[in-house]
Amino acid sequence: MMDDAALPPGSSAVIYCEGQFGEQDGKTANGLVRHSEKFEVLSVIDSRQAGADAGEFLDGVVNGIPVLANLGEAIAHAGQVPDYLICGVAPADGLLSAAQRVVLLDGIARGMHIINGLHEFLNDDAEFVAARIMAGVTITDIRRPKEKKDLHLFSGRIFDVTCPRIAVLGTDGSIGKRTTATLLVRALNAHGVNAVMVGTGQTTLIQGGKYGVALDALVPQFCSGEVEDQVVAAFEGEDPDVIVVEGQGALSHPAYLTSAHILRGSRPAGVIVQHAPKRKMLGDFPMVPMPTAASEVALIEAFADTKVIGITINHEFMSDEEIDDAIDEHELEIGVPATDPLTRPLDRLVDMVFLAFPELEGSLVASGR
């Protein structure tokens, strides 16, 4: 997890997401615009969408964060040089293009600290290190794992975690699993359930998540153990009623193994599956057809001792009527509740959890919460 104590003071930030805001490879920027506990997001850089309100562009709800054309405009809008420049792009290969390097180096030269969530560690890049030293700023490589001596193998401590764990998995990468997990935690807490999230990707860590690990940057030997360790830490640190674990990739995905480690390490009692009905091919792998939600449910339940408790719909390219139809079709086909967390009341997410874990709702009644 990201150590806030290691970061310089200040929280104002500009998110760099040229050409990708609102797209799959802009998911880090998309997530930070929707939710950030650590950073005060002042603007997003994407010349393609310049002039838009970031919240309205993403979700149809104005949030006052403008999308601007370049770093100069972002600094002028802030009225001073913001504390941080966050790299908000998340391409499948995790590498910077030449044009992206120029913008981040410009930010350093202007005195901005860099938050980097890519697989490419900028503190290992001689040009970035020299620029950082010259400017007297810091670069934080979020995905850099701990030393191997500090990593955890699976230990069985997960069996001492007595509260339910719910994993939010999906049928593809960049399909909304983190957003659904965040909304679920928020909604459960609003209903009096002490819910805690464990993140498994770089965006959740940048957002300020207290518990988590950038799972896809680890040697596979330690993946399930690191998930287990963070779930145990959340259980011991927060005494929660339920722990929600953010998913990564998809169990069926040919390029990613992270869902398997999440299922093994957190041993969830329930799984919510996020699906985009209009997506025909995998997002970053257009040579591979999308699985159906039903096939993913069958695979998850065959792979792990768990039960899928609900389906959440990603409404990309869908009309409101099509969302309703998809919800009804998935409920009928799979036999579990379905909803779209971004366009339908969050109470439906909470009801999904209460139906699967009636003891959670019962404890609220018993305690008067």
Side-chain angles (χ1 to χ4, degrees):
M1 56 187 178
M2 185 164 68
D3 182 5
D4 283 356
L7 292 176
S11 63
S12 62
V14 170
I15 304 173
Y16 173 66
C17 195
E18 177 59 34
Q20 297 297 330
F21 185 55
E23 304 292 335
Q24 291 181 46
D25 284 355
K27 65 180 183 179
T28 296
N30 304 342
L32 286 165
V33 163
R34 289 179 171 130
H35 172 74
S36 179
E37 298 174 33
K38 164 63 185 170
F39 297 104
E40 177 194 1
V41 177
L42 303 181
S43 62
V44 175
I45 297 171
D46 183 352
S47 61
R48 191 188 55 164
Q49 307 300 341
D53 176 273
E56 185 174 31
F57 177 75
L58 280 183
D59 302 318
V61 179
V62 173
N63 66 2
I65 299 173
V67 183
L68 302 173
N70 54 55
L71 183 57
E73 285 190 17
I75 292 173
H77 169 265
Q80 59 183 4
V81 176
D83 301 309
Y84 290 91
L85 180 58
I86 300 174
C87 184
V89 294
D93 62 9
L95 303 176
L96 284 175
S97 69
Q100 290 166 343
R101 288 177 65 91
V102 169
V103 176
L104 294 185
L105 287 166
D106 185 21
I108 292 173
R110 293 171 185 259
M112 300 175 76
H113 304 286
I114 301 296
I115 301 292
N116 168 44
L118 300 177
H119 284 298
E120 182 177 6
F121 300 148
L122 302 185
N123 281 300
D124 294 342
D125 185 302
E127 186 177 14
F128 275 92
V129 170
R132 168 180 63 77
I133 293 171
M134 285 285 291
V137 300
T138 63
I139 297 172
T140 303
D141 291 315
I142 296 296
R143 264 183 166 133
R144 185 185 291 277
K146 297 179 289 188
E147 297 292 330
K148 288 187 175 63
K149 63 181 178 59
D150 298 319
L151 293 172
H152 298 83
L153 290 170
F154 183 82
S155 68
R157 291 186 300 152
I158 195 69
F159 300 121
D160 297 325
V161 177
T162 55
C163 72
R165 281 86 65 201
I166 299 172
V168 180
L169 305 183
T171 53
D172 193 8
S174 303
I175 203 167
K177 298 180 291 290
R178 182 195 66 255
T179 298
T180 291
T182 301
L183 291 172
L184 175 58
V185 168
R186 188 181 302 166
L188 286 170
N189 279 308
H191 279 73
V193 176
N194 182 13
V196 176
M197 181 165 161
V198 172
T200 54
Q202 76 278 7
T203 303
T204 304
L205 299 180
I206 296 172
Q207 286 173 320
K210 189 174 180 181
Y211 302 98
V213 58
L215 201 55
D216 61 3
L218 294 179
V219 175
Q221 180 82 355
F222 299 103
C223 285
S224 62
E226 282 294 300
V227 172
E228 177 192 46
D229 179 68
Q230 288 302 302
V231 171
V232 170
F235 178 66
E236 294 178 346
E238 309 296 332
D239 190 24
D241 298 316
V242 62
I243 295 172
V244 177
V245 184
E246 172 198 11
Q248 293 293 315
L251 188 59
S252 61
H253 204 294
Y256 306 132
L257 292 173
T258 37
S259 288
H261 297 300
I262 289 166
L263 286 165
R264 291 291 189 247
S266 69
R267 298 185 63 86
V271 172
I272 293 171
V273 174
Q274 179 98 1
H275 181 57
K278 288 285 189 177
R279 195 179 292 189
K280 301 304 181 186
M281 311 298 283
L282 294 182
D284 283 321
F285 299 85
M287 72 296 293
V288 182
M290 278 282 290
T292 64
S295 69
E296 197 72 23
V297 168
L299 182 62
I300 290 167
E301 293 185 342
F303 181 81
D305 181 16
T306 191
K307 181 72 176 173
V308 172
I309 64 170
I311 305 296
T312 46
I313 300 298
N314 177 321
H315 61 256
E316 62 184 20
F317 313 122
M318 298 177 72
S319 68
D320 199 63
E321 184 178 353
E322 287 174 324
I323 297 170
D324 279 336
D325 289 344
I327 289 171
D328 291 343
E329 289 167 7
H330 284 86
E331 287 187 338
L332 186 63
E333 180 182 12
I334 300 173
V336 296
T339 188
D340 174 3
L342 284 173
T343 67
R344 301 299 183 263
L346 288 178
D347 285 355
R348 295 190 187 182
L349 265 186
V350 175
D351 291 342
M352 184 185 289
V353 171
F354 283 167
L355 181 65
F357 301 100
E359 67 274 16
L360 289 174
E361 188 173 21
S363 68
L364 295 183
V365 174
S367 64
R369 281 186 276 174

